[in-house]
Amino acid sequence: MSQKSLSDINLSKENFSNENYINRPWKEEIIYFLIVDRFHDGKAAQKAPDALRPEYQQTDLMKRRGGTFKGIQGQLNYIKNLGCTTIWLSPVFENYEKDYHGYAINNFLNTDPRFGTIEELKELVKKAHELELRVVLDVVINHTANTWEYENGYISYNGTSHRFGHWKDDQYPLPQELRNPDYYKKAGAIEHWDSYPETQEGDIFELKKLITDNSPVGWKVLEAMIKIYSFWIKECAIDGFRLDTVKHLEPSAVAVFCHKIREYAKYLGKDQFMIFGEAVGNYSLISRYFKQVKTERGYFEGLDAAFDFPLHFILEELIKGKRPASDLYQLYRSNKKMLARRNKKTSDWIVFADNHDQIAQGHKARIGFEAEEKQVIAMIGLVYFLYGIPCLYYGTEQYLQGNGPHDAWLREPMFHQEKDLCWHKEESFLYKEISSLAALRKKMFLFSEAEMEIDFISINGGDFVSSEHIREIIYWSKRIYEEKMILLYNPKKDERVAICAKLSTNGSRIKSKLEYSYGGNGELNIDQKEGCGYINIDLNPLQFVILK
């Protein structure tokens, strides 16, 4: 890899191949997110035991474990058979030796050699495309690695600019254009993560914040980042980007980057290129990155999609019965109002149960931690069927239960080099159930964008209450013409619940039966009374059901 400067990059169509281009609507995708260093090393054998996983020492999880592009390539069928259709890779670019996660980039023009070469990444993408799997790269545009020091050492943000000290070495960062102290904000490290403008001006820990505002310098930095990541689209035929740390960027920077990247992708014939962003916050904050932004250089469209963090923040508590089910419906109402203001759809959400950060948790934990497998199934079931594009975090399907005081505790290896073991078992219970849910989502995809419908519910013989006001169980109803889908979940661990539902018709004909699509067998009769349809169903503890 010889590129060291932006001038070395050729973005013409010359030698670009769009072979096996995938033209599916993005709303049909199921994303599988993996940490490159933790997924597979290409060596560990397929002979995982049924019990005890390796007990990694805490210090081991803070270090590189040896995952590679070749390791991922060897497990593409594992991902496809799980029902996932898009692979989101954690950042693949060069980091310093101590950094395993990829978000501390010192060379934006090369892959991290410990993951593999650029040719191996290209081969991974090529093989994925042959299996009709899309590949998304995780990209960073607002900071570099800890490539330089302040004149007075580590500094916390205090609203003032500080003096540049020195570069840590003569090589990084690359491209060489980023070796310009004037490109950096130099405002010190963020201390208050929800305080503006600190959250957009400060360094993320020791990572060095680039200027990306609507200033002349900000435009130069953005133009550099646009050229860098356009290069990766051309070089590897990438299908989309996940944009990191959106909350720490100005909406104008996000909009300019997204607009220009989509424009270049279309130039290459990739008119379905997707950019989804990590904007951690409420719907008001996220909406700022969906909107069209006006700058001195014109109008620019923001993100194609964003992570639904508000749903993520309540989902686990809903499933574990620690929060009333009615909170889900209130959230949905807020969600819809924001989308209407921004002319967006529910399919523009990336919906997820957990991830590699678990932001806002004191003791960080995967959804499998202190959860029964039935609870994990219910969480994934809601992620797959409520609305939006589902995203599954690697290892969930193998019941990984990482937890601890640091992000690294959530990022267990799916292999163990010393014991020659790996945890990629297609016969495991959760793998098979999640695969079944994915197949069912594909079969029932028309319901994905259908609106929530209000039915009236009686719990254990009580009064009928609007489904959006019930607290005891999750009941989610959707309709497409004369077809109806109902999601049901009983969060109680030791109590069976008897439900009678009065089904909304909205003028449509009432059919005579509902079938179990998941979580049960057979059919439920729909009793006709005074122009309404009624069903009766008993839910066992932690039972998750889909009826159609």
Side-chain angles (χ1 to χ4, degrees):
M1 189 71 177
S2 59
Q3 284 88 352
K4 292 187 177 182
S5 168
L6 294 176
S7 62
D8 295 329
I9 295 175
N10 177 7
L11 295 182
S12 71
K13 293 181 182 179
E14 182 183 1
N15 299 323
F16 174 72
S17 173
N18 209 15
E19 186 180 8
N20 295 316
Y21 175 58
I22 298 168
N23 203 35
R24 282 189 308 268
W26 272 92
K27 62 186 179 181
E28 296 181 13
E29 301 298 281
I30 297 177
I31 300 169
Y32 187 84
F33 170 41
L34 62 85
I35 305 289
V36 176
D37 182 63
R38 303 297 163 93
F39 185 67
H40 203 288
D41 66 351
K43 301 174 185 177
Q46 296 276 9
K47 56 179 184 180
D50 292 328
L52 300 175
R53 302 184 187 282
E55 290 297 325
Y56 283 95
Q57 298 295 318
Q58 294 177 347
T59 52
D60 291 337
L61 289 173
M62 301 290 287
K63 301 175 183 176
R64 288 181 178 258
R65 302 310 306 165
T68 64
F69 300 143
K70 285 185 176 180
I72 298 167
Q73 183 177 321
Q75 299 298 324
L76 290 177
N77 279 312
Y78 168 90
I79 296 171
K80 183 178 178 68
N81 294 341
L82 184 58
C84 296
T85 57
T86 292
I87 303 169
W88 156 22
L89 302 174
S90 61
V92 299
F93 315 105
E94 189 170 351
N95 281 218
Y96 286 119
E97 170 63 33
K98 69 181 182 66
D99 298 310
Y100 69 88
H101 45 68
Y103 293 98
I105 303 169
N106 57 22
N107 184 355
F108 289 82
L109 299 180
N110 195 15
T111 56
D112 194 298
R114 286 155 293 201
F115 298 157
T117 65
I118 191 169
E119 292 302 321
E120 289 169 339
L121 176 60
K122 290 165 68 172
E123 182 68 10
L124 165 59
V125 176
K126 179 176 180 290
K127 294 299 182 184
H129 286 170
E130 289 173 2
L131 291 172
E132 298 186 331
L133 296 169
R134 282 178 160 133
V135 179
V136 168
L137 293 188
D138 204 322
V139 301
V140 177
I141 69 171
N142 67 319
H143 64 258
T144 70
N146 184 19
T147 53
W148 56 268
E149 300 284 358
Y150 285 97
E151 185 177 64
N152 295 318
Y154 186 86
I155 296 172
S156 294
Y157 181 90
N158 62 9
T160 61
S161 182
H162 302 277
R163 294 177 64 86
F164 177 88
H166 61 273
W167 298 106
K168 296 183 71 173
D169 58 54
D170 295 331
Q171 182 177 359
Y172 298 116
L174 290 175
Q176 293 171 345
E177 286 80 358
L178 296 182
R179 289 180 64 81
N180 182 345
D182 293 339
Y183 279 14
Y184 295 84
K185 196 68 179 178
K186 299 187 286 291
I190 298 170
E191 295 291 333
H192 304 97
W193 294 90
D194 292 311
S195 177
Y196 177 84
E198 178 175 352
T199 189
Q200 289 183 3
E201 294 182 348
D203 300 332
I204 300 176
F205 304 111
E206 293 184 341
L207 305 175
K208 295 304 188 284
K209 166 68 177 176
L210 288 158
I211 295 173
T212 54
D213 57 21
N214 202 19
S215 66
V217 171
W219 278 98
K220 287 183 180 180
V221 174
L222 279 174
E223 287 167 354
M225 289 297 169
I226 291 163
K227 191 168 187 179
I228 287 166
Y229 289 116
S230 295
F231 161 77
W232 286 102
I233 300 172
K234 177 187 175 182
E235 194 71 14
C236 298
I238 295 303
D239 302 294
F241 290 151
R242 178 265 190 183
L243 185 56
D244 183 56
T245 53
V246 166
K247 174 181 176 179
H248 303 288
L249 284 155
E250 304 82 356
S252 60
V254 171
V256 169
F257 178 81
C258 291
H259 193 103
K260 291 293 186 180
I261 287 292
R262 285 190 295 260
E263 187 177 79
Y264 178 71
K266 287 181 181 179
Y267 165 74
L268 295 179
K270 287 183 165 290
D271 56 357
Q272 292 241 20
F273 197 89
M274 164 77 92
I275 305 176
F276 52 93
E278 179 207 31
V280 183
N282 57 29
Y283 289 134
S284 176
L285 181 143
I286 296 170
S287 72
R288 298 171 61 202
Y289 298 96
F290 272 147
K291 69 180 181 181
Q292 185 185 73
V293 175
K294 180 183 179 181
T295 75
E296 61 185 25
R297 302 195 185 189
Y299 291 89
F300 298 91
E301 299 292 338
L303 295 168
D304 295 305
F307 290 93
D308 192 343
F309 275 95
L311 175 62
H312 162 67
F313 289 142
I314 71 169
L315 185 59
E316 186 172 353
E317 289 186 331
L318 286 168
I319 294 301
K320 293 184 177 180
K322 298 178 180 179
R323 178 184 286 267
S326 53
D327 285 3
L328 175 61
Y329 306 98
Q330 293 175 17
L331 184 80
Y332 181 72
R333 295 297 187 194
S334 299
N335 182 336
K336 291 291 291 182
K337 287 179 182 178
M338 186 278 283
L339 293 176
R341 289 198 305 271
R342 297 303 185 203
N343 196 28
K344 304 291 280 186
K345 298 179 179 179
T346 51
S347 56
D348 296 323
W349 288 119
I350 309 297
V351 185
F352 64 106
D354 65 346
N355 63 12
H356 60 313
D357 290 327
Q358 294 298 75
I359 292 170
Q361 286 188 352
H363 181 88
K364 293 175 178 282
R366 282 177 171 264
I367 59 170
F369 177 63
E370 295 185 341
E372 296 189 22
E373 287 182 303
K374 289 181 179 179
Q375 292 172 315
V376 175
I377 289 169
M379 276 186 268
I380 300 305
L382 291 183
V383 164
Y384 279 22
F385 287 93
L386 283 179
Y387 55 79
I389 301 170
C391 182
L392 183 69
Y393 185 40
Y394 86 100
T396 301
E397 73 280 5
Q398 298 299 341
Y399 204 20
L400 294 188
Q401 300 177 39
N403 68 97
H406 192 278
D407 297 344
W409 277 242
L410 313 171
R411 305 168 181 176
E412 313 98 302
M414 289 270 280
F415 58 91
H416 194 301
Q417 290 176 312
E418 291 80 4
K419 298 182 180 180
D420 195 30
L421 302 173
C422 80
W423 285 265
H424 295 80
K425 298 173 63 180
E426 296 190 23
E427 66 273 19
S428 70
F429 175 72
L430 279 178
Y431 183 99
K432 290 190 291 187
E433 292 303 306
I434 292 172
S435 177
S436 295
L437 288 169
L440 184 60
R441 183 179 189 272
K442 184 176 181 180
K443 183 179 178 181
M444 299 173 64
F445 178 72
L446 285 176
F447 286 101
S448 65
E449 286 189 306
E451 297 292 329
M452 179 187 72
E453 188 171 59
I454 302 300
D455 294 336
F456 286 83
I457 313 300
S458 168
I459 306 292
N460 294 330
D463 294 337
F464 280 92
V465 178
S466 167
S467 55
E468 64 179 334
H469 294 136
I470 56 175
R471 300 170 62 87
E472 299 93 333
I473 64 162
I474 291 175
Y475 179 102
W476 195 271
S477 174
K478 293 183 174 186
R479 175 187 294 276
I480 298 178
Y481 189 48
E482 294 181 350
E483 296 289 335
K484 191 174 182 75
M485 180 185 78
I486 301 173
L487 306 181
L488 286 157
Y489 172 67
N490 176 14
K492 302 176 186 300
K493 279 191 173 185
D494 53 8
E495 184 180 335
R496 186 180 174 93
V497 178
I499 300 163
C500 180
K502 179 181 177 181
L503 306 182
S504 172
T505 64
N506 286 335
S508 298
R509 182 173 66 89
I510 302 173
K511 294 191 175 183
S512 60
K513 295 182 184 297
L514 279 168
E515 298 177 349
Y516 279 93
S517 295
Y518 184 85
N521 297 305
E523 301 172 330
L524 291 177
N525 289 326
I526 300 177
D527 298 325
Q528 313 284 334
K529 296 179 184 178
E530 299 176 350
C532 297
Y534 292 81
I535 61 168
N536 290 280
I537 181 173
D538 291 345
L539 286 182
N540 292 321
L542 305 184
Q543 185 178 6
F544 176 74
V545 167
I546 300 177
L547 301 171
K548 177 177 179 291

